Amino acid sequence: MDSVRNPYTPNAGAPPEILVGRDDQTRSFTTLLERLSRGRTEQSMVITGLRGVGKTVLLGEFGDIARRARWEVVEIEASKHDDSKFRERMFAQLRTALLQLSPRARWTERGKRAAEVLSAFAVSIDAQGVWTLSWDVPPAEGAGDSGDLGLDLTDVLVAIGEAAQEQERGIVLLIDEVQFLRPTQLEALIQAIHKTVQRKLPVTFVGAGLPQIAELAGDAKSYAERLFKFPKIDSLADPFNRQALTAPAETEGVSFTEDAVDLAMEITKGYPYFVQELGYQVWEVAEQDPITRADIQIAKEAYEAKLDSSFFRVRLDRATPLQTAYMRAMAELGPEPQKAADVARVLHRESNQVAPTRAELIEMGLLYTPEHGYAAFTVPDFDKFMLRAVPELVVPEIQRRRKKK
């Protein structure tokens, strides 16, 4: 087939030609915006799921929905920044949102107040003790300037929410990779959104992250489970998994035979990213319409090689030898969540010796804990990749901890 016409998009966060199987989530988000616009409250959302299920794509769709509804969208990909850097990023995005809500020349008292609180939030002290501001709006006094991130972010979102409400508009914070927020940052966001809900302001925070996010949010604030919904998205079920493969090709006038789709679903298990990658590789090898089972079989090798060299390999390359050995031991046990003691046994070590390694892998976003004492890969089929990439289990020497007398 013509490569220029290839309708598949196996890129990080790239929207597919046609989004399928996520109607429940988009309806929930639309309802959220409409209720807040009417001055009513509604639970915000934090989408959870493994890598490759389309969380980032869904956030992008939410952004498009919000913009069509004339909401201002603040989009952030969380990373492991300290609180001062987090303040800088929030300030830059919220300043843009405020200026989009209303140009400075048309600020009302609420708009001016929001700008002043935002300035107070951004004020910092350098090594010489000199106050600096990143724009020329004087800071408010007694709001946004306490030095406590939770209190200050609350002041900012309330002030901007009031300015948005006056303009009959709204603000939505879309934050990806929520699991990488520091506890203080996640707590501050939850605290701030809680206050905007109490004030019935058109402000909301919708996030996406790995499965442990619900637990992290609950640890940050006990009322998080009442403030948010935590919908979990997974691989696409019939008939959406099939549609995710066939619908893009149909836009180019190309079809699949039924047995070709059956094999594609067997290979990809309906994971959206995998479907896009296989579709892309099949398009490159197929020579005519319809695409057949033989085309899928030919493309499978290139599909697996592409996943191994990019989607999987980029995660393994971040691991130390000991972290690699831990993940290889998990893969040895199978694709299911594995008990920490069983992994330690494969490594011929005691659980307390490898517990720090397990914690590091969770911190890195390579593992998560579906239940106490167990860990699982955050990437589908990562166990199979580990067996291919690391044929033999090699355990580096681990210094044994001395037992306390």
Side-chain angles (χ1 to χ4, degrees):
M1 299 289 184
D2 182 0
S3 296
V4 174
R5 294 171 54 211
N6 194 324
Y8 297 95
T9 57
N11 304 303
E17 192 79 11
I18 298 174
L19 181 65
V20 299
R22 304 307 186 205
D23 291 347
D24 288 347
Q25 291 78 28
T26 55
R27 275 196 298 266
S28 291
F29 181 73
T30 301
T31 298
L32 168 65
L33 297 189
E34 290 179 351
R35 286 185 60 81
L36 293 181
S37 295
R38 292 170 177 264
R40 296 195 169 98
T41 63
E42 181 70 13
Q43 287 176 302
S44 295
M45 288 188 290
V46 177
I47 306 291
T48 70
L50 300 180
R51 299 289 185 191
V53 296
K55 301 184 299 298
T56 301
V57 168
L58 194 52
L59 281 189
E61 180 69 13
F62 289 171
D64 291 343
I65 292 171
R67 292 184 189 94
R68 289 196 292 270
R70 298 185 66 246
W71 280 56
E72 285 305 316
V73 179
V74 172
E75 294 179 290
I76 294 175
E77 181 176 329
S79 53
K80 297 177 182 179
H81 290 310
D82 60 24
D83 289 355
S84 62
K85 186 66 175 178
F86 178 77
R87 277 183 184 257
E88 289 179 24
R89 295 183 70 193
M90 290 298 296
F91 166 75
Q93 295 273 15
L94 291 171
R95 176 184 61 179
T96 299
L98 179 59
L99 292 171
Q100 291 294 324
L101 284 171
S102 177
R104 186 185 301 206
R106 298 179 185 173
W107 279 346
T108 63
E109 286 302 312
R110 284 189 175 181
K112 190 181 301 181
R113 172 65 176 172
E116 291 170 350
V117 175
L118 193 54
S119 287
F121 180 76
V123 166
S124 61
I125 302 179
D126 64 20
Q128 287 73 42
V130 178
W131 290 92
T132 59
L133 268 177
S134 52
W135 67 340
D136 59 352
V137 176
E141 294 185 6
D145 60 357
S146 71
D148 180 287
L149 182 60
L151 294 176
D152 293 347
L153 187 59
T154 298
D155 289 341
V156 168
L157 291 190
V158 166
I160 292 181
E162 290 174 344
Q165 188 177 56
E166 184 180 48
Q167 298 293 327
E168 297 184 346
R169 306 277 297 282
I171 303 282
V172 56
L173 281 68
L174 299 178
I175 301 184
D176 202 3
E177 303 287 6
V178 174
Q179 72 278 354
F180 290 135
L181 290 172
R182 290 192 171 202
T184 52
Q185 297 160 9
L186 182 57
E187 181 179 357
L189 281 164
I190 295 171
Q191 180 179 335
I193 293 300
H194 188 214
K195 183 59 68 175
T196 65
V197 168
Q198 291 176 325
R199 299 284 186 88
K200 295 185 177 181
L201 296 173
V203 179
T204 190
F205 153 46
V206 177
L210 296 176
Q212 64 263 39
I213 291 306
E215 181 180 355
L216 293 176
D219 290 343
K221 287 293 183 183
S222 60
Y223 52 73
E225 63 183 23
R226 288 166 284 154
L227 192 62
F228 295 97
K229 298 174 183 176
F230 294 92
K232 178 182 177 182
I233 63 173
D234 205 336
S235 58
L236 295 166
D238 276 334
F240 301 114
N241 54 354
R242 295 170 177 271
Q243 191 179 354
L245 178 69
T246 60
E250 288 171 359
T251 66
E252 294 291 341
V254 176
S255 62
F256 286 77
T257 63
E258 192 65 27
D259 59 344
V261 178
D262 290 342
L263 180 57
M265 293 304 101
E266 181 183 326
I267 294 170
T268 64
K269 301 183 179 67
Y271 283 103
Y273 180 79
F274 292 176
V275 170
Q276 291 297 312
E277 187 62 72
L278 182 59
Y280 186 93
Q281 299 301 334
V282 169
W283 187 273
E284 294 300 301
V285 303
E287 296 180 345
Q288 59 185 11
D289 178 35
I291 294 172
T292 67
R293 185 181 181 90
D295 293 325
I296 301 288
Q297 290 170 329
I298 293 170
K300 183 182 177 183
E301 184 175 359
Y303 158 79
E304 290 182 343
K306 180 65 183 300
L307 290 179
D308 283 2
S309 64
S310 57
F311 186 69
F312 292 133
R313 173 60 64 178
V314 71
R315 290 166 171 83
L316 179 58
D317 285 349
R318 295 162 50 203
T320 66
L322 187 51
Q323 291 165 351
T324 297
Y326 194 96
M327 292 190 290
R328 179 58 174 77
M330 283 186 59
E332 187 87 8
L333 294 169
E336 302 83 10
Q338 301 300 333
K339 196 173 182 179
D342 293 339
V343 180
R345 191 175 302 114
V346 173
L347 294 169
H348 304 292
R349 295 295 186 269
E350 298 174 6
S351 290
N352 65 345
Q353 289 181 287
V354 294
T357 302
R358 179 176 180 269
E360 291 163 2
L361 289 167
I362 293 171
E363 176 71 16
M364 293 166 66
L366 295 173
L367 302 182
Y368 75 101
T369 52
E371 58 181 298
H372 181 70
Y374 287 79
F377 292 115
T378 59
V379 180
D381 284 350
F382 200 74
D383 59 305
K384 295 177 182 177
F385 165 72
M386 288 301 301
L387 295 175
R388 292 194 299 270
V390 188
E392 294 185 11
L393 174 60
V394 178
V395 185
E397 284 299 317
I398 304 172
Q399 186 176 1
R400 290 184 176 272
R401 295 183 176 182
R402 293 180 180 178
K403 293 182 179 180
K404 293 182 179 180
K405 294 183 179 180

